[in-house]
Amino acid sequence: MRNLSFSILMLAALAACGGPSGKDIAMAKQARYTGDKLVLFAATKAAVESKYKLAKSDELALGMQTAARWYTSDGLTAPGTDEDFRQVPDKAIRVVHVVRMLPDGDKWIIQDEPVLMRRVAGSPAPEKLDPKDPSVPGWATGQIDELQYEIYKALKQYEVKAPGGMAPAPAAPAPEAAPAAGSDAPAPAPAQ
């Protein structure tokens, strides 16, 4: 009973000091930034480097990639590397964050496209995982959200605010124009 009480207290303490809320993460993913692209890139790079070691960084392409890191299925750092795959435990997940700055009109979006792979015992190579795959553990998707939020905090002073104080929603694609009357051009397909 004592261990159960201690476990409940620990969970409550973790929840109290917890990370960003769902609303914070949604705002971070939708944020648009304005300013000098190299200044934005440097701030993004500093935020990523505060959490992960970088393997690549390209100021001209406005992108960077973190060094691969293996985690056990429970989210703890796992032994082994890509070069010495033998020590990586079964079901371990390899995480690499690919962070890019993308133009959105005269604004910028910061995107983290993680590359996830799972070690499968007996297989000569790990299997690629889609981050939206339901078998991906919550700690892995949480890492993605946390990095996006760290970048958001670092770039908050450059965030573009819409009227009402909220970040603007992504721009909707422009509807296709209907062909002119008497034109032989086919009508555009209806949106699905």
Side-chain angles (χ1 to χ4, degrees), residues 39-180:
V39 171
L40 294 173
F41 181 78
T44 300
K45 182 177 177 183
V48 173
E49 284 182 311
S50 73
K51 299 284 247 180
Y52 300 97
K53 180 179 175 187
L54 287 181
K56 299 177 190 175
S57 176
D58 187 341
E59 196 173 86
L60 295 176
L62 300 174
M64 64 200 76
Q65 178 178 316
T66 64
R69 199 183 282 178
W70 284 95
Y71 298 91
T72 65
S73 57
D74 296 331
L76 304 173
T77 303
T81 64
D82 288 348
E83 292 78 33
D84 188 7
F85 194 64
R86 296 171 296 170
Q87 292 183 330
V88 177
D90 186 34
K91 306 275 189 254
I93 296 186
R94 177 183 180 264
V95 179
V96 173
H97 295 272
V98 179
V99 179
R100 295 186 188 109
M101 282 181 51
L102 303 171
D104 182 35
D106 62 343
K107 299 168 193 66
W108 294 95
I109 300 169
I110 311 299
Q111 183 179 59
D112 178 11
E113 289 186 17
V115 178
L116 305 175
M117 301 185 97
R118 180 180 294 142
R119 165 93 157 94
V120 178
S123 176
E127 69 177 340
K128 187 165 170 109
L129 290 171
D130 182 334
K132 293 181 171 78
D133 183 323
S135 72
V136 173
W139 61 260
T141 54
Q143 269 192 9
I144 298 160
D145 292 344
E146 283 180 30
L147 181 57
Q148 191 77 48
Y149 186 69
E150 285 300 316
I151 294 167
Y152 174 70
K153 287 190 320 186
L155 297 178
K156 192 138 179 74
Q157 66 184 357
Y158 304 104
E159 183 181 14
V160 176
K161 296 283 188 184
M166 293 297 295
E176 293 185 39

Side-chain angles (χ1 to χ4, degrees), residues 10-22 24-25 146 149-150 153:
M10 288 302 293
L11 287 173
L14 286 173
C17 70
S21 69
D24 292 336
I25 291 167
E146 283 180 30
Y149 186 69
E150 285 300 316
K153 287 190 320 186

